[in-house]
């Protein structure tokens, strides 16, 4: 994020306004759409950040991109406000901050499970249920990834916490203990 403080303030304002108008879920859907467009198209993000392109042209492009997506009127008004204020370059960051703030508000935690090979659903469900036991008030959103460099085991990320039970980490620890010569007396 280029300006996380600005993004979080705009996101919080949009959440508050969407709550007042009972359209929080619709605005969340729109922000996910905007975030997805920004992640999928670097050209779109470059256009938003370009100082050469005028605001009205940027708004025309945004409107054309989301024309058939059924965007909420509040979301379109918010994007229009950003363009009028010259803050459209922060739209990707604001969309991400909105999604994060919504997840925090609804106690939705993203759990990233990385394994060396694809796991069967039963094993994935077992790991998820064990993590859920430590966070009974939270809803878990499990994202799976495969990283062959782990060799075996898994890496589990929940928020800012990391549990690394991979063979790669174990081998690195063994390598470090073998090459550590601090116990050898120096002559």
């Amino acid at each position: 994020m280029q300006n996380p403080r600005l993004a979080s303030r705009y996101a919080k304002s949009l959440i508050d306004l969407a709550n007042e108008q009972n359209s929080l879920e619709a605005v969340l859907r729109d922000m996910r759409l905007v975030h997805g467009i920004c992640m999928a198209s670097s050209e779109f993000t470059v256009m938003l950040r370009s100082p050469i392109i005028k605001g009205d042209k940027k708004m025309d492009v945004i409107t054309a991109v989301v024309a058939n997506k059924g965007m909420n009127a509040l979301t379109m008004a918010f994007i229009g406000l950003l363009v009028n204020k010259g803050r459209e370059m922060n739209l990707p960051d604001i969309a991400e901050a909105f999604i994060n703030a919504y997840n925090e508000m609804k106690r939705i935690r993203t759990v990233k499970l990385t394994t060396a090979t694809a796991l069967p659903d039963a094993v994935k469900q077992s790991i998820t249920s064990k993590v859920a036991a430590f966070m009974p008030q939270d809803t878990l959103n499990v994202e799976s990834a495969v990283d062959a460099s782990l060799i075996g085991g898994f890496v589990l990320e929940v928020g800012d916490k990391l549990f690394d039970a991979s063979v790669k980490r174990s081998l690195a620890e063994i390598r470090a203990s073998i090459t550590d010569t601090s116990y050898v007396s120096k002559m």
Side-chain angles (χ1 to χ4, degrees):
M1 277 191 196
Q2 289 183 335
N3 194 341
R5 183 177 296 165
L6 179 131
S8 66
R9 286 182 180 171
Y10 272 101
K12 180 165 179 2
S13 297
L14 183 58
I15 281 180
D16 292 342
L17 190 58
N19 262 335
E20 286 177 16
Q21 296 185 5
N22 294 324
S23 58
L24 184 61
E25 299 301 322
V27 174
L28 172 67
R29 180 183 48 84
D30 295 343
M31 286 292 114
R32 284 183 176 157
L33 174 70
V34 168
H35 185 257
I37 291 169
C38 292
M39 292 294 107
S41 174
S42 61
E43 293 86 7
F44 184 77
T45 306
V46 168
M47 181 272 307
L48 288 175
R49 294 191 172 136
S50 174
I52 298 170
I53 302 172
K54 301 289 182 210
D56 58 338
K57 295 294 181 191
K58 290 180 183 181
M59 192 63 197
D60 290 343
V61 170
I62 293 168
T63 304
V65 168
V66 299
N68 298 330
K69 309 293 192 230
M71 292 280 272
N72 187 310
L74 175 61
T75 307
M76 287 307 294
F78 178 76
I79 292 172
L81 174 75
L82 288 177
V83 172
N84 288 338
K85 295 283 187 183
R87 301 280 191 189
E88 68 277 355
M89 67 191 70
N90 301 104
L91 183 59
D93 297 336
I94 293 169
E96 183 179 350
F98 182 92
I99 294 166
N100 292 339
Y102 175 87
N103 288 344
E104 191 69 32
M105 182 176 76
K106 297 290 187 176
R107 296 189 60 105
I108 299 171
R109 304 284 180 243
T110 300
V111 176
K112 185 174 180 186
L113 177 64
T114 308
T115 56
T117 60
L119 288 179
D121 289 335
V123 175
K124 202 180 301 181
Q125 183 61 34
S126 173
I127 293 171
T128 303
S129 64
K130 288 181 180 174
V131 172
F134 289 103
M135 304 190 301
Q137 294 87 12
D138 297 341
T139 303
L140 299 182
N141 179 21
V142 180
E143 296 176 356
S144 297
V146 175
D147 181 4
S149 71
L150 295 179
I151 303 170
F154 63 92
V155 175
L156 187 69
E157 296 176 60
V158 182
D160 61 347
K161 299 196 178 7
L162 176 77
F163 178 74
D164 191 347
S166 67
V167 173
K168 179 181 178 180
R169 181 198 49 85
S170 298
L171 289 174
E173 286 178 355
I174 292 169
R175 181 179 300 118
S177 69
I178 291 173
T179 58
D180 181 19
T181 59
S182 61
Y183 61 87
V184 176
S185 64
K186 297 181 179 165
M187 293 189 204

